[in-house]
Amino acid sequence: MKPIITTPDPRLRAKSSRVREIDDEIRQIIADMVESSLAWEKEHPYELSAAMAAPQLGVNKRIIIVRDDLDDKEHNSFTALINPEVIRTEGKVTKDYEGCLSVPEIYGLVGRPHKAKIKAQLENGQEVRLKADGYLARVLMHEIDHLNGILFIDHIKDDPEAFYRMTDKGDLEPITNYEAEIKNNPKLFPED
């Protein structure tokens, strides 16, 4: 199993390169992503590994995986999207909780548009266009952000009331000492 990298690893901030050919190397990266995602989930009983981007394994290629059933932790299959792009977003911007395998223990209320249209290739090379709304749209935008070196915390770093931490019982509670715990945390926001 490949380890999931976490902040402040600079590979999370690098822009990923396009995949030119879907070959055995790319298929192995996808398999490693699924394996690492499910292994992470086993260690986090209150959390669901909804998706992952290749940079989270230190591979700066434009590949993401998305769980086929975002409501069922027992359903362990994922779909890989290669070279995904957000073509258009629309709808009301709403805030909802986001977490990240590469940002341990921190959650945030992130505003994103309700709908997204995505262009990508499947693992077999077929080109697809997807229309997503709600939680799926949020997941896709979050993962595509990873391919551009953007983490969810970047969208909320100036909002001290947007940060949360998960309790031992699986509940989210606000982080009350933002200055001490977040803004001055070099692992989350390293100096430029």
Side-chain angles (χ1 to χ4, degrees):
M1 181 193 75
K2 298 233 178 202
I4 295 170
I5 63 172
T6 59
T7 54
D9 192 305
R11 292 172 290 180
L12 291 168
R13 297 303 190 168
K15 198 162 185 173
S16 294
S17 60
R18 287 184 62 78
V19 172
R20 300 285 176 213
E21 181 183 356
I22 302 169
D23 55 15
D24 287 343
E25 176 190 1
I26 298 302
R27 285 187 277 278
Q28 184 59 56
I29 292 167
I30 293 166
D32 291 343
M33 291 168 68
V34 170
E35 180 184 29
S36 296
S37 186
L38 292 174
W40 177 91
E41 188 177 272
K42 284 181 184 174
E43 296 174 7
H44 298 82
Y46 297 111
E47 296 165 285
L48 174 85
S49 178
M52 178 186 277
Q56 294 178 268
L57 292 187
V59 178
N60 288 109
K61 293 191 181 289
R62 297 188 76 79
I63 306 167
I64 66 173
I65 59 168
V66 180
R67 195 180 207 110
D68 293 334
D69 187 338
L70 294 170
D71 295 320
D72 185 358
K73 197 170 183 174
E74 299 303 313
H75 191 97
N76 291 333
S77 67
F78 290 77
T79 295
L81 297 175
I82 298 162
N83 299 323
E85 295 175 44
V86 176
I87 298 171
R88 184 174 68 240
T89 60
E90 57 187 45
K92 183 178 176 183
V93 173
T94 56
K95 289 186 177 183
D96 204 349
Y97 295 104
E98 292 187 24
C100 182
L101 310 181
S102 293
V103 184
E105 301 175 19
I106 303 294
Y107 287 78
L109 273 174
V110 180
R112 295 199 190 263
H114 184 71
K115 296 180 180 181
K117 188 172 183 181
I118 309 294
K119 176 174 83 170
Q121 285 179 283
L122 298 176
E123 194 172 346
N124 66 7
Q126 177 186 351
E127 291 190 14
V128 293
R129 291 182 185 258
L130 309 168
K131 289 181 181 179
D133 61 15
Y135 184 55
L136 177 59
R138 176 175 297 279
V139 167
L140 290 166
M141 287 184 276
H142 175 114
E143 298 308 326
I144 292 170
D145 271 356
H146 271 298
L147 304 180
N148 296 314
I150 299 167
L151 301 176
F152 81 90
I153 54 176
D154 299 333
H155 294 289
I156 59 173
K157 67 182 176 184
D158 295 324
D159 183 359
E161 295 181 7
F163 288 86
Y164 290 76
R165 175 171 281 122
M166 186 170 284
T167 68
D168 293 340
K169 295 180 181 177
D171 300 317
L172 292 178
E173 63 182 19
I175 293 177
T176 54
N177 193 348
Y178 174 77
E179 289 295 324
E181 291 196 53
I182 301 300
K183 199 163 191 173
N184 297 321
N185 185 340
K187 286 186 172 184
L188 291 178
F189 302 115
E191 295 292 321
D192 291 332

